[in-house]
Amino acid sequence: MTILSTQNLTKKYGKLTALNQLNFQIEKGMVFGLLGPNGSGKTTTLGMLLNVLTPTSGSFQWFGEPPSADSRKKIGAILETPCFYPYMTASQNLKVVAQIKNCGTQNIDPTLKTVGLYERRNDPFKTYSLGMKQRLAIGAALLANPPVLILDEPTNGLDPHGIVEIRELVIQIAQSGKTIIFASHLLDEVQKVCTDFMVLRKGQKLFQGNVKVALSDQRTVEVGASNLDNLQTVLSEFNGIRKLEHKDGKYQLTVAPEIQTADISQFLFDKKIVLNHLVEKEGSLEKQFLKILSEQ
Amino acid sequence: MKRLFQIEWLKLKHYRPFWVLTGLYALLVTLICAGVHFFFIFLKNQGADFRGVDPTIIPFYDFPDIWQNITYIATFFKIFLAFIVIITTANELINKTLRQNIIDGMGKKGWIQSKLLLIGGLSLAATLLLFFVGLISGLLLSHPHGYPHILASTSFLFAYFLEVFTFLTFALFLILLVRRSGLVIVGLMMYTFAFEPFLGVMLMFPPNEFNFPSYTYDLAQLMPIRALNNLIHVPYQKYAFREIQDFVSLKEVFIVCCWLSFYIGMSYLILKNRDL
């Protein structure tokens, strides 16, 4: 089921084109990473999808329907900074959210416990640290147990402990079958959490695809043996090696996605070569991201 | 409807300035509207008289004249209620809670509706307060008694409700347009109490050398604040035996309703087209 689709979504601020003709789709259950350098149009995109920015042209649909207030009730979202009534406590602020979402107040206390604010629930929002404010924003997004979550830089302002907690929370939520749209410039974070990703730069979509597929390009296998010359000769007979590099007394192989590390080991063993070094290295989204940016 | 009102109530009930301003308004209106009698006694003790007439015998609180008398005074204090609308709405803009409300699932139309419910609630409360102040002072001090007298001319209470409601909607429109509470508060006061009255006098009674056409008098009646003030005409000349308009004119109600529709429509358009 398609959760979200956009058609030529465009936003201009005077001469500046913040987002140009964006087309993409998000399917149910995806954890979708929205990547891009600062100012690439991530927040502009999300702002339009949440009806706080007016598109210059183009359209989009949530759940296959034109956007409406009711479709937004099924989306839990944080966009940029956490926005709450400063003179009200966490509980009181979540009551307002619950009333808007029409979801009842029974989830407020459990949600405050989930995001670790239960002890401070009766303190005014203005007394909170940035990390606590961010936690409350995440709590507000989760409150109505929505099928779709939009998280724009959710770990902003959190300490390392908080970052890990939020990451685990996102993974846990994703496993429950919810669809998550996750904007971040922390690529490591996206790699750990997302199934799919899209790269934006200067308002243009550069890439969209599956994280695993994209990373398989980046997978390398390092091998080493006592007789390196012999190793190279034998390896050159092996089908599926895309690139062979000599590095620090070892060979680094870039292999086709269908090749398993065990296949290489078995092949070399059959050729009577015994390896003294065999390491598989996952690619990183960071490398892939930089590659995508540099290719343009 | 009920849900939108509850949202607004949740936002306001913990906001201290809301209670301070509401309390201030209620206190001022009650003291001043009910205190005219004591003011007359004070005048008498000071030895003041109006052409030989003892001020305390002025039948200020006689039914049904009382309704026009006190609603006219009370309209001067509507600015305090406008401050509530301006400050709370400006907070929603500054704290970006308006934006968050929309993200959470309020429509922009719904948001305007919730503010109009707040305005309606304030106007209704102000009208009810004035009704009770009038009723109690009248029962104590009025010479004519009985229901026909008490309930005659209560159309001024409706006029008062409409005046407050429209003025607060005007304030909502201004704060959505300008977004700076300080600027709007100062601007609204200057416009209401200085600029428009001055302009009104210039248009209605222009010095001869200006050579204004005669229709400027009627034109002046259409100005936003003038149109509001026209709902309840000054009643006090009647005590000097001059003629007054002692009813609410439908034509003047209609002009105010036009302004009201304009403010509501514009507030919605501003919100609809603006990036939040």
Side-chain angles (χ1 to χ4, degrees), chain B residues 31-201:
Chain B
L31 282 182
I32 292 181
C33 290
V36 173
H37 180 64
F38 302 101
F39 180 66
F40 286 158
I41 294 174
F42 168 79
L43 284 182
K44 185 186 178 184
N45 292 340
Q46 295 290 307
D49 67 9
F50 300 117
R51 297 178 200 148
V53 177
D54 172 358
T56 54
I57 69 159
I58 294 175
F60 185 87
Y61 289 107
D62 274 8
F63 289 120
D65 292 354
I66 183 172
W67 298 123
Q68 188 174 5
N69 289 344
I70 61 169
T71 49
Y72 180 78
I73 301 182
T75 54
F76 286 96
F77 302 101
K78 63 181 182 289
I79 193 100
F80 288 102
L81 297 179
F83 291 164
I84 295 177
V85 173
I86 293 169
I87 294 171
T88 54
T89 311
N91 281 342
E92 300 248 25
L93 300 173
I94 295 165
N95 299 326
K96 292 193 169 184
T97 44
L98 157 61
R99 186 169 177 265
Q100 192 62 43
N101 290 165
I102 303 294
I103 291 174
D104 288 339
M106 261 179 123
K108 287 179 175 178
K109 207 183 250 172
W111 199 85
I112 295 279
Q113 278 169 355
S114 77
K115 289 295 166 201
L116 290 176
L117 283 171
L118 159 69
I119 289 173
L122 283 173
S123 310
L124 192 65
T127 309
L128 283 176
L129 173 75
L130 204 59
F131 172 70
F132 286 117
V133 169
L135 192 66
I136 292 165
S137 333
L139 288 175
L140 293 173
L141 298 164
S142 172
H143 299 99
H145 281 290
Y147 286 115
H149 295 293
I150 294 172
L151 295 178
S153 291
T154 39
S155 56
F156 283 105
L157 286 172
F158 292 105
Y160 179 72
F161 174 81
L162 181 64
E163 177 165 349
V164 174
F165 189 87
T166 309
F167 188 69
L168 301 194
T169 311
F170 180 43
L172 176 69
F173 158 67
L174 287 180
I175 188 64
L176 287 176
L177 184 71
V178 180
R179 287 188 270 193
R180 300 277 180 280
S181 58
L183 202 62
V184 170
I185 285 175
V186 174
L188 184 66
M189 284 172 71
M190 298 273 286
Y191 182 80
T192 307
F193 296 122
F195 180 74
E196 207 199 270
F198 176 74
L199 190 70
V201 169

